[in-house]
């Protein structure tokens, strides 16, 4: 968009602010402020943050180290093998309480994911504020690499030499 767009009787600039055309603003009338569009753009990232915060608050108050509060991992129950998510709740509980060492020892992949989520969320919020879409496009090689990392993490944490990765 090289310049302002006509939007009825007002001009809409790239910033999202609606500005009355010259001569249309009357004295004594309220000026048009930031549009509801900005609030709408921020609603999704803020809603995601509220949901994640509520989930972490719950895990922070209901200790997963005490039996009976959460269901057992179905893969662990059936096969006895740890999945990539096993220990994730204990990791989140330790993370909430500021014990990064215990969080990493419960599930290093999940703890790394918390930091990655925070970074992507901040980028998403800034881009939503600016009116820019968040587009994360990964080449297929990256998706295969992520899948391989999850597979290797799962296999190694179930082997005797990878017991440090087990929850």
């Amino acid at each position: 968009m090289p310049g302002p767009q006509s939007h009825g009787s007002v001009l809409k600039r790239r910033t999202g602010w609606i500005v009355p055309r010259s001569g249309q603003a009357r004295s004594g009338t309220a000026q048009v402020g930031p549009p509801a569009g900005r609030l709408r753009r921020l609603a999704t990232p803020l809603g995601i943050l509220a949901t994640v915060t509520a989930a972490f608050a719950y895990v922070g108050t209901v200790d997963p180290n005490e039996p009976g509060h959460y269901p057992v991992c179905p893969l662990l129950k059936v096969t006895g093998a740890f999945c990539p998510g096993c220990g994730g709740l204990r990791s989140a509980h330790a993370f909430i309480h500021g014990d990064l060492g215990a969080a990493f020892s419960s599930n290093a992949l999940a703890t790394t994911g918390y930091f990655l989520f925070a970074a992507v969320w901040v980028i998403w919020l800034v881009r939503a504020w600016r009116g820019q879409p968040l587009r994360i496009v990964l080449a297929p090689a990256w998706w295969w690499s992520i899948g391989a990392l999850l597979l290797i993490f799962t296999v190694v944490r179930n082997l005797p030499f990878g017991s440090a990765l087990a929850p």
Side-chain angles (χ1 to χ4, degrees):
M1 287 183 234
Q5 292 180 340
S6 177
H7 186 69
S9 63
V10 295
L11 292 177
K12 186 174 181 181
R13 298 182 186 209
R14 287 183 64 210
T15 59
W17 288 77
I18 298 174
V19 181
R21 289 188 184 184
S22 60
Q24 289 189 356
R26 292 184 236 159
S27 61
T29 60
Q31 295 292 323
V32 178
R38 179 171 286 163
L39 294 175
R40 190 173 47 243
R41 288 190 313 261
L42 293 175
T44 303
L46 292 176
I48 296 293
L49 179 66
T51 304
V52 170
T53 300
F56 267 79
Y58 181 78
V59 172
T61 56
V62 180
D63 190 0
N65 294 308
E66 295 177 13
H69 291 293
Y70 298 98
V72 177
C73 171
L75 183 69
L76 180 63
K77 188 175 187 176
V78 172
T79 66
F82 298 118
C83 74
C86 282
L89 288 173
R90 286 174 288 206
S91 172
H93 182 77
F95 188 81
I96 287 295
H97 290 279
D99 190 357
L100 289 180
F104 271 105
S105 69
S106 293
N107 191 323
L109 198 60
T111 306
T112 305
Y114 307 148
F115 289 109
L116 182 63
F117 171 80
V120 169
W121 183 85
V122 168
I123 292 167
W124 185 16
L125 186 67
V126 168
R127 291 188 65 86
W129 178 262
R130 293 179 180 168
Q132 302 166 338
L134 177 67
R135 290 192 183 109
I136 300 175
V137 180
L138 296 176
W142 281 101
W143 289 112
W144 283 103
S145 298
I146 292 169
L149 175 70
L150 286 171
L151 181 64
I152 291 168
F153 178 75
T154 303
V155 170
V156 169
R157 76 189 314 209
N158 286 292
L159 295 174
F161 66 85
S163 62
L165 294 176

